[in-house]
Amino acid sequence: MIELNPVIIDGNPFTAVTVQLPKTNLLAVYNDKGYIMCGALDVSLLNEKLSDRKIIAGRAVGVRTIDQLINAPLESITTEAYAIGIEVGMSGRDALLKMV
């Protein structure tokens, strides 16, 4: 099952995606500038092989719900996320607000 839901953070709209798979969920929250995602996100791939795409993204591990993803500290981020002020350890919420 795939769920798409609007999420408003400090008045700013984002979209939350949950993909329910056997024994796990894929989670992401995004807007037109970037996204945060669960541990399935391969930040190294984005930074190394897809660097020309300049993807703004962050990864939080150990999360099972969208609420947990938004509130969890980011474990890793892309180079482009760092360039706009996102830092490792920042909450997903704070990172998303940097993408506005």
Side-chain angles (χ1 to χ4, degrees):
M1 174 187 269
I2 299 172
E3 294 178 33
L4 287 171
N5 294 299
V7 174
I8 305 298
I9 300 174
D10 291 351
N12 298 291
F14 295 90
T15 302
V17 180
T18 301
V19 180
Q20 296 176 354
L21 299 172
K23 301 183 184 179
T24 194
N25 290 332
L26 297 179
L27 307 167
V29 179
Y30 69 93
N31 68 3
D32 62 348
K33 192 169 184 182
Y35 59 93
I36 59 171
M37 193 171 165
C38 65
L41 179 64
D42 188 343
V43 172
S44 295
L45 174 73
L46 299 180
N47 282 335
E48 296 166 16
K49 305 268 187 205
L50 304 176
S51 62
D52 59 316
R53 297 185 188 184
K54 301 184 183 296
I55 296 170
I56 297 170
R59 171 180 130 150
V61 295
V63 297
R64 294 183 179 180
T65 67
I66 292 296
D67 189 53
Q68 288 176 354
L69 175 61
I70 290 169
N71 291 295
L74 297 181
E75 176 266 344
S76 56
I77 61 172
T78 62
T79 304
E80 294 300 319
Y82 181 79
I84 66 164
I86 297 171
E87 298 178 4
V88 169
M90 179 179 280
S91 71
R93 174 184 307 279
D94 290 343
L96 289 166
L97 291 173
K98 294 274 188 185
M99 298 179 200
V100 176

